[in-house]
Amino acid sequence: MNNRVYLDREKTKYKGNLHLHTTWSDGSLPAVQVVEAFKAKGYHFISITDHDIYARTEEFNTVDFVTLPGMEKGGLNQVADKNPGYHFGVLNDPTADSELERFEHLEQFPVPIPWVGDHSPQLLIDEMRAHGNLVIFNHPEWHLTRFEDMVKYDGFFAIEIYNHATEWSTTSSYGAAYWDHALQNGKRVFGIAADDSHEHDPNWRIHEYGGGWVQVQSAALNPVDLVKSLKQGEFYSSSGPEIYDLRVVDGKLTIECSPCKFIMFKSFPQRGAFLGDFESGEPLTQASMEVDKDMQYIRVECIDFAGKVAWSNPVFVSDLLQGGE
Ligand SMILES: [Zn+2]
Ligand SMILES: [Zn+2]
């Protein structure tokens, strides 16, 4: 089995939010104030993803803060004006050629999009990709998405596994079960935590800003390197804890994290390890488990004493078996 480093404690990680709204759609703050709110919270990058209107906001970029062009594309409901519907995160991919012209700043899209059958979501995903974007399957739990959709549809590079605004408003924010369903069925998709902040004061004590984010291990803070790392899964998601390091050495997967109550290795088809110092309640800052070559994938969740979670991306075991034992 090959050794492999997924997250390296020595490498810089950049904190970002890939899902949020401004007055360009139904958010209450203008983009300039949203940028300031995330800067003040220590973020390195954001993508402004308003509903059905594309944002290119390079004017906000500085040496220590970057905005990635994007949008949230929705307007696709099987039954008009009723959930369940579909929302896809759309993120400009500067590392790939685009078949069709890239979207322009404040380019607007018609809503609703007519439902033309079960393949409607796929048509939308394909269209977004043809214009040079990555696609994220947004808030499946909140949107009452069927688990089978994770397998039926293709071409999204990640699933939103934690959406803070729907936690804030309806406590239906977790997509990890959808993620496992996709992974169990052989999909290579990553998990993304995000705010989806809309309209609330960034300084409220019960907050909508800064509740879910990604930490991207990237060569530098610029759109090309960030997106390159996102596409390779070189990041983790969090609503609180930090993951410092994740690697496989001599057949053993080890994670290092900020102090946590539990560390869970979620794998399939065999169950992974679940660790906690149950007797003393002392925090854990690292854990390991043997990789079984018959496992499809292993991903790790680090859960802190407040119940907040950091999610690693999956280790695909077949990658570790390539070119040898
Ligand atoms: Zn949405
Ligand atoms: Zn949204």
Side-chain angles (χ1 to χ4, degrees), residues 19-21 49 51 72 87 138-139 163 196 198:
H19 187 175
L20 60 89
H21 299 274
T49 53
H51 296 283
E72 184 171 26
H87 283 180
N138 279 356
H139 45 60
N163 176 295
D196 197 7
H198 274 80

Side-chain angles (χ1 to χ4, degrees), residues 210-228:
W213 60 88
V214 288
Q215 289 276 6
V216 181
Q217 178 174 293
S218 171
L221 182 62
N222 60 62
V224 169
D225 284 315
L226 286 171
V227 170
K228 219 185 265 178

